Amino acid sequence: MAAVAAAERRLSFSNITALAPMVRVGTLPMRLLALDHGADVVYCEELIDIKMVQCQRVVNEVLQTVDFVAPDERVMFRTCEREKDRVVFQMGTADPDRALSVARLVEKDVAAVDVNMGCPKEYSTKGGMGAALLSNPDRIEAILTKLVNGVSIPVTCKIRILPSLQETISLVQRIEKTGVTAIGVHGRFKEERPRHPIHCDYIQAVAQAVSIPVIANGGSLDLVKTHADIAEFRRLTGASSVMLARAAMWNPSVFNSGGPLPVETVMEEYLKYAVQYDNHAFNTKYCLCQMLRDKVESPLGKRVQAAQTNAEISDAYGLSEFHQQIQEQLQSRRDALQGGDPSDCPVMDGDVTTMAVKFERRFYPPQITPKMCLLEWSRREKVEQPLYHTVQRSQDRSFQSTVTVAGKKYRSSQWEKSKKFAEQAAAIVCLRILGVPEGRVGEEDSGLVCKRKRERILNGATEKEQSKKRLIEMDVKQEAKNMETPVVPNGKHAEPGDVQQKTWKLLWFQMVNMHQVENQVTFLLSCRSSVRKSCCLNTNLQLLLFYHFFF
């Protein structure tokens, strides 16, 4: 009976419409929104095996999700019960053993696993992943065979077409023999981009050459603009199923058989999911900007670009009250969980007092830390300064620290990603046992860090940052001035293309450095208008800059 039930729950790829895997787009809010509007299956964004294999599976009882958390505490993949039977986990991999480790890690929380063999971007291909696998069929066979034999859920892959039809058919027939459940086919060659027309004849030939479901992909711009176009795309390709990327990114209600909804309505629906599931604000902005498209410079678009938190984005859409209600609900869950949580109860481990706490930097003001508070307390009480002893765990290189204060030892039972964080966690344990404020945001001023010193620290940091920004802004403006009338060795004025390779790179990285951002794509979207004003860029040059760095 159990086997029959499992077979009934097994995800089918026949006659389905799916949300295609898209980097930065296929996160939980977008996947849930696609399901709301009629998608049968949703793929997550491609996640790299090397990063995923380091993650820990964490049940997030506050958000009611399952999170896969990296050693640096970033949530690499978040899912929930609602999508469990319909979400496909797509990985980027070039190693059979690592692929299997990742598949087994997520196996209980997803409906299927997919191997990306079609991404032509350098970040994927340089590691032998994505489209680079197309030239290594032996590696493809090894990865897929390992996965099919190693997990209990369906295994699929997504490819691009090869230079010749015969090569493509030969590859998919070899893939079919590994035992995969379905094959996704993007109907473009590795070097082609969305502006190139899709090769429906190749997809049709593949569908005729294998007996497993073929999922056609790549028709968003040319062939699929509304739900009514999906059936025609399926007919043209002869495929069993269809997956949509850009058409769904621009308006996820494309899956709605009753016709698309106004994008303004869909954006609000998306934002509500982003708030409910604590989606990263930069990711929320990115997805909303994709939906705004040519309205990204509208008053609403500018407010979204300027926002730094989900609260500010919610305010732009008139959803501040909704955001506040969700925050209150989440806080109520936290309070309820902490009420029965033994983590706040000290436990003796030999002569060391331990508590299960972690240091989270966002809960403390800039330049104010638990270690600083503990040091000031020890000076006030005229005891020896805190002494920290830190060890590193070999299997995952995590750290744990023990602090000795007034002859007593304190330690967090949780391991941290760095020596500094481990020492901060130990200081928190000590301060909580002593009943001393630890410097958290909103905590009553303990007087440990005197007002003058606190202001000096904060003002010093602010002045330093402002000085750095002023210097970089001067460089940027000078570079923009130089770009207005560039001169080549023959004395003639150069065209923009003659100097863009050198100058644009310098200008861009100066701007990124000035704003201290890690995600350049999100940064570009969020400050495009200010870049235009600072650097006198016209629209064509902005697009050229965007294309140069990300395509």
Side-chain angles (χ1 to χ4, degrees):
M1 292 295 292
V4 173
E8 290 177 350
R9 291 196 305 270
R10 192 175 177 87
L11 184 63
S12 171
F13 290 88
S14 295
N15 196 31
I16 64 158
T17 305
L19 174 71
M22 289 179 282
V23 174
R24 294 182 297 276
V25 175
T27 47
L28 182 58
M30 184 65 78
R31 299 197 304 267
L32 294 178
L33 191 57
L35 290 175
D36 284 350
H37 287 288
D40 301 301
V41 174
V42 290
Y43 285 69
C44 75
E45 60 180 333
E46 178 196 19
L47 294 165
I48 307 302
D49 60 354
I50 294 176
K51 294 181 179 179
M52 281 299 301
V53 79
Q54 302 176 56
C55 290
Q56 288 188 338
R57 180 183 184 273
V58 177
V59 177
N60 188 328
E61 295 183 348
V62 174
L63 296 178
Q64 298 176 346
T65 60
V66 175
D67 298 344
F68 292 85
V69 185
D72 62 2
E73 297 185 2
R74 285 187 302 160
V75 177
M76 301 303 298
F77 176 59
R78 171 169 286 164
T79 185
C80 65
E81 187 66 26
R82 161 88 190 286
E83 67 169 4
K84 182 175 181 179
D85 295 330
R86 293 201 277 174
V87 63
V88 179
F89 179 90
Q90 188 189 66
M91 73 174 84
T93 185
D95 182 89
D97 293 328
R98 203 156 49 228
L100 181 58
S101 296
V102 174
R104 286 178 171 169
L105 177 67
V106 302
E107 180 178 11
K108 295 180 180 179
D109 301 294
V110 300
V113 292
D114 180 85
V115 178
N116 183 350
M117 299 180 183
C119 180
K121 301 297 179 62
E122 184 183 359
Y123 68 79
S124 187
T125 58
K126 69 182 179 182
M129 302 176 291
L133 284 171
L134 296 176
S135 58
N136 194 342
D138 290 339
R139 181 70 57 84
I140 289 176
E141 184 176 349
I143 292 171
L144 295 177
T145 300
K146 191 94 171 181
L147 288 172
V148 169
N149 294 332
V151 295
S152 59
I153 57 178
V155 175
T156 65
C157 66
K158 182 171 178 284
I159 69 168
R160 281 188 172 232
I161 57 178
L162 297 178
S164 76
L165 184 56
Q166 187 53 48
E167 286 179 281
T168 306
I169 291 175
S170 177
L171 177 63
V172 296
Q173 288 177 336
R174 188 169 178 180
I175 288 174
E176 181 182 22
K177 291 178 182 177
T178 65
V180 296
T181 303
I183 302 176
V185 181
H186 185 123
R188 291 185 177 88
F189 302 121
K190 182 170 68 173
E191 63 276 6
E192 290 184 326
R193 294 297 180 268
R195 65 181 180 274
H196 296 103
I198 184 173
H199 303 275
C200 291
D201 54 333
Y202 271 69
I203 302 177
Q204 190 175 59
V206 168
Q208 294 172 353
V210 296
S211 59
I212 58 177
V214 170
I215 311 169
N217 176 231
S220 288
L221 185 62
D222 301 328
L223 302 173
V224 181
K225 295 180 175 63
T226 67
H227 183 271
D229 299 327
I230 296 174
E232 179 63 11
F233 183 46
R234 181 184 282 114
R235 186 190 68 78
L236 287 172
T237 59
S240 170
S241 301
V242 170
M243 63 167 59
L244 301 179
R246 286 164 300 145
M249 175 180 72
W250 296 325
N251 189 334
S253 69
V254 70
F255 294 108
N256 195 328
S257 59
L261 299 180
V263 71
E264 292 78 12
T265 302
V266 177
M267 285 192 291
E268 289 187 11
E269 293 175 349
Y270 170 85
L271 182 54
K272 287 181 179 180
Y273 273 133
V275 171
Q276 286 177 302
Y277 289 100
D278 194 26
N279 197 50
H280 196 289
F282 285 156
N283 181 253
T284 302
K285 284 172 61 173
Y286 180 85
C287 292
L288 289 171
C289 284
Q290 303 314 305
M291 293 187 226
L292 282 165
R293 299 186 73 185
D294 57 350
K295 296 180 181 178
V296 75
E297 294 296 339
S298 66
L300 174 60
K302 290 179 179 179
R303 288 192 67 185
V304 172
Q305 293 179 62
Q308 296 298 309
T309 65
N310 281 335
E312 292 175 0
I313 300 172
S314 298
D315 184 57
Y317 282 87
L319 293 175
S320 292
E321 185 176 344
F322 174 82
H323 181 275
Q324 183 61 34
Q325 290 174 351
I326 294 299
Q327 297 312 304
E328 291 173 358
Q329 290 176 14
L330 296 179
Q331 188 58 51
S332 296
R333 290 180 193 168
R334 291 188 191 98
D335 294 342
L337 291 169
Q338 289 175 356
D341 187 356
S343 63
D344 285 340
C345 301
V347 176
M348 294 302 299
D349 182 5
D351 62 342
V352 182
T353 303
T354 69
M355 292 175 65
V357 300
K358 291 184 76 69
F359 173 69
E360 295 188 58
R361 191 69 188 86
R362 60 195 173 97
F363 292 145
Y364 299 86
Q367 309 299 326
I368 303 297
T369 65
K371 281 185 67 177
M372 179 184 293
C373 293
L374 183 57
L375 176 62
E376 294 296 332
W377 178 86
S378 65
R379 288 172 176 170
R380 189 181 69 183
E381 298 298 317
K382 298 181 180 180
V383 299
E384 290 186 6
Q385 291 188 8
L387 179 64
Y388 295 89
H389 174 69
T390 305
V391 296
Q392 185 176 27
R393 190 164 58 184
S394 60
Q395 57 265 41
D396 60 0
R397 304 178 67 84
S398 296
F399 294 85
Q400 190 177 60
S401 186
T402 301
V403 61
T404 302
V405 178
K408 295 183 179 181
K409 298 178 180 179
Y410 307 88
R411 180 176 67 227
S412 171
S413 59
Q414 302 291 310
W415 292 76
E416 294 280 2
K417 64 180 180 180
S418 69
K419 180 175 181 291
K420 290 182 179 180
F421 275 39
E423 291 177 351
Q424 297 290 358
I428 292 172
V429 174
C430 179
L431 290 165
R432 290 184 183 179
I433 296 297
L434 295 172
V436 177
E438 61 197 65
R440 289 170 70 97
V441 173
E443 197 174 56
E444 184 178 349
D445 186 9
S446 63
L448 289 176
V449 181
C450 68
K451 182 177 181 181
R452 182 179 300 173
K453 183 174 181 179
R454 184 185 294 262
E455 289 178 348
R456 187 168 67 248
I457 290 172
L458 295 176
N459 292 339
T462 302
E463 290 173 5
K464 185 177 180 181
E465 291 173 2
Q466 292 299 325
S467 176
K468 182 179 179 182
K469 288 187 177 183
R470 282 195 297 269
L471 288 172
I472 295 176
E473 283 172 349
M474 289 172 63
D475 289 342
V476 169
K477 290 177 180 178
Q478 182 61 45
E479 199 65 50
K481 185 176 180 181
N482 294 340
M483 288 164 54
E484 291 176 3
T485 55
V487 178
V488 293
N490 62 12
K492 296 180 180 179
H493 289 295
E495 294 298 322
D498 296 327
V499 293
Q500 71 185 40
Q501 181 68 22
K502 179 179 178 181
T503 309
W504 287 127
K505 276 192 175 182
L506 176 61
L507 178 60
W508 175 253
F509 286 111
Q510 283 175 322
M511 291 296 292
V512 170
N513 185 38
M514 179 174 74
H515 290 269
Q516 297 180 330
V517 297
E518 296 179 1
N519 189 323
Q520 296 182 14
V521 176
T522 301
F523 172 69
L524 181 62
L525 290 170
S526 65
C527 70
R528 186 168 63 180
S529 59
S530 62
V531 170
R532 180 189 296 133
K533 293 175 183 176
S534 300
C535 310
C536 307
L537 303 185
N538 62 36
T539 302
N540 289 335
L541 292 180
Q542 290 177 59
L543 294 173
L544 180 62
L545 179 61
F546 186 92
Y547 184 86
H548 175 73
F549 278 99
F550 304 112
F551 295 95

